[in-house]
Amino acid sequence: MTRWLFLIHRYLGMAVGAVISLWCLSGFVMMYEQYPELDDNERLAGLERLNLTDCCRLPAGVSNINVDSFRLEMMAGTPVLRLMAGRRQQVIDLHQGEHLSEFGAVDARFVANTAATEYGLQGVPRLVDVRERDQWTVYASYHPHRPLFHFAMEDRAGTEFYVSSTSGEVVQMTTSRQRFLNWMGAVIHWLYPTALRQHTGVWLQVVIWLTIVSLFLTVVGVYIGLKQFKTRRNGSRSPYRGWALWHHYAGLVFGLFALTWLTSGLFSVSPFGALEGRNFNAEMQRLRGGAMSVDDASAFVRALSGSQIPSSTVRLDVSMVEGHLYAVALDEDAQRLRLNAGTLIAEKLSAGFFARVANILRPDVPVTEASWLTEDDAYYFSHHEKRRFPVFRIRYGDGERFYLDSVTGEIAHAVDRDRRWSRWIFHALHRGDFSALVRSRPIWDLMMWPLMLGVSICALTGTWLGFRRLAKAVRRHLHRARWLNWRQRPRSREAKGFSISTLQ
């Protein structure tokens, strides 16, 4: 059995050792450069000031469907109404009073020129092509926007961005630095080449089974390392020399961390549904207190005539809490002001709302705590993602937690049993998010670098040993093949005659 384990570790290491090594090295890049994604705050920076002059006209045949929310913003100099229902979006031109169901190249150029100006980019956007997907738009969240108009700027940063053909929004933006570093970071670490990642089911199975095989390889390696670690007659604790010695000791010291990162990385994709958690649609519906329809949006838009909104507003977001509409005015710096939806006068949520919201969300579950949170706690914290504070935290008897936004009153974050496990298995063990102290820089860097270097040395030395042995085996095989070929090649009669006469 021991001999078989040695052989399995050796040849399996040749097969997946390079992948594990690339996972380790790309992790260093991901510590400092995340996969590019245009978040809501960055979208706000690319919008014009909201101008409701000569507004607003609505089309006659607006279908009365339920919507989750709606918003008003400018699109290439024109105010538009965006009706949001899940991932679907209806866009209405409020100047012409007509539906905008698709956007062509001319429309996309207007949007791109406006966005370039608002973002302060130098030059004129150049339409590169129209594409379904590429390396930076491979997520499923871009499906409702395909195909995408791909624009490039002739600036020093090498900025490129993508405009949706269905909503007319800028949905992604990258720079040459982000693209270069992510080819060495997230694309390798997450196995994200477009050819694989666009097939989500296949990609998921590749990640799951490749990680399981890597875990098996590491477990076998740790077992062999411990078995081989013993005192010998010459005083050595290891039978190896050179690269093999480095691999042996690195595996003994950092093998556990390799197992930890592989396991936590596996659970990050919720294999076979593990730690996937539930959605919180029921709680969100109870908090809304009713369904919001297109009629509500129409009534709000018609009431805007002559209304005054803050001059710095670039977008008005409208939603519902406890059966009442409210609006939030946002400026280009993502500063928010809650407004009464009827009068557009600034108003704050009452203390009474937060006193009763726990029973609104889950009326049949006892509450153990309801209080304001002004800094990170164990489940709501900032690291790679910035969180808003303060939030109202509610803890229930079954351990579930809800965090409510102080401005809108909506659910900012929620944690059930599975997500609590995921928080410690993935965020803590994989990313080092144990506590606020550990997350603080440079403590986090000083903790992660030695551990990642140790695991990287273990993976790289093992990969090098495997390929070196493979290269020797190939050379030996080729040498034997050449020797056999020389022994078995036929000789001509002339050569034989020449040989006999020479001997005579």
Side-chain angles (χ1 to χ4, degrees), residues 10-30:
R10 176 184 300 164
Y11 292 107
L12 199 57
M14 292 180 190
V16 300
V19 175
I20 298 175
S21 299
L22 289 173
W23 278 340
C24 293
L25 296 175
S26 59
F28 285 102
V29 181
M30 290 195 67

Side-chain angles (χ1 to χ4, degrees), residues 365-379:
V365 183
V367 178
T368 58
E369 182 197 8
S371 60
W372 287 99
L373 184 70
T374 58
E375 59 184 11
D376 293 355
D377 74 352
Y379 298 96

Side-chain angles (χ1 to χ4, degrees), residues 418-489:
D418 281 354
R419 285 185 169 86
R420 290 203 310 273
W421 277 102
S422 179
R423 182 263 179 271
W424 295 110
I425 291 176
F426 175 65
H427 289 277
L429 296 180
H430 200 79
R431 297 167 55 172
D433 286 330
F434 289 99
S435 66
L437 176 63
V438 175
R439 282 192 300 271
S440 61
R441 297 292 182 77
I443 294 176
W444 184 72
D445 304 78
L446 294 173
M447 178 189 72
M448 296 296 289
W449 267 86
L451 298 178
M452 291 180 65
L453 279 172
V455 175
S456 298
I457 290 171
C458 183
L460 288 168
T461 53
T463 304
W464 168 249
L465 289 169
F467 279 104
R468 189 174 68 175
R469 179 176 287 273
L470 181 63
K472 286 182 179 179
V474 171
R475 286 197 301 267
R476 189 164 54 248
H477 174 75
L478 292 175
H479 179 73
R480 178 177 173 80
R482 285 196 297 268
W483 183 78
L484 288 174
N485 184 56
W486 180 82
R487 287 288 307 271
Q488 296 173 4
R489 64 182 179 179

Side-chain angles (χ1 to χ4, degrees), residues 154-340:
E154 302 298 332
D155 59 354
R156 295 180 63 183
T159 306
E160 296 181 4
F161 57 89
Y162 302 79
V163 177
S164 167
S165 64
T166 60
S167 68
E169 298 172 284
V170 176
V171 294
Q172 176 64 299
M173 181 177 291
T174 67
T175 64
S176 56
R177 178 181 179 275
Q178 287 176 318
R179 294 190 295 273
F180 174 74
L181 290 177
N182 271 279
W183 274 111
M184 297 190 298
V187 175
I188 293 174
H189 200 78
W190 295 341
L191 302 182
Y192 250 41
T194 308
L196 175 61
R197 183 59 182 86
Q198 64 183 334
H199 306 292
T200 304
V202 176
W203 167 80
L204 186 60
Q205 292 303 312
V206 168
V207 171
I208 290 173
W209 288 107
L210 194 56
T211 308
I212 289 173
V213 172
S214 301
L215 274 167
F216 177 70
L217 170 69
T218 308
V219 169
V220 172
V222 170
Y223 170 78
I224 292 173
L226 292 172
K227 188 176 180 62
Q228 294 289 78
F229 186 70
K230 56 188 176 183
T231 304
R232 289 166 173 79
R233 291 180 180 179
N234 61 2
S236 174
R237 304 296 297 271
S238 173
Y240 306 110
R241 296 291 180 271
W243 288 105
L245 182 66
W246 278 92
H247 183 64
H248 186 197
Y249 282 133
L252 287 173
V253 177
F254 297 100
L256 179 61
F257 295 106
L259 285 172
T260 297
W261 275 324
L262 287 169
T263 303
S264 56
L266 175 63
F267 279 103
S268 71
V269 296
S270 300
F272 315 113
L275 304 189
E276 191 171 339
R278 67 180 183 89
N279 62 48
F280 299 94
N281 290 335
E283 286 83 2
M284 288 189 285
Q285 291 297 331
R286 283 195 286 268
L287 187 59
R288 288 192 183 111
M292 187 165 53
S293 68
V294 174
D295 286 343
D296 296 316
S298 300
F300 177 83
V301 168
R302 291 190 178 96
L304 281 176
S305 301
S307 300
Q308 295 295 319
I309 60 174
S311 59
S312 60
T313 302
V314 298
R315 194 173 81 198
L316 274 177
D317 287 352
V318 184
S319 190
M320 179 182 284
V321 166
E322 285 194 300
H324 301 289
L325 293 185
Y326 71 93
V328 175
L330 301 104
D331 64 17
E332 61 185 8
D333 297 320
Q335 297 299 313
R336 302 176 300 161
L337 180 65
R338 194 177 194 276
L339 307 174
N340 182 290

Side-chain angles (χ1 to χ4, degrees), residues 380 387-388 391 402-405 409-414:
Y380 186 85
R387 299 286 192 182
R388 284 195 177 107
V391 290
F402 288 77
Y403 300 83
L404 280 81
D405 189 281
E410 294 184 335
I411 298 172
H413 187 59

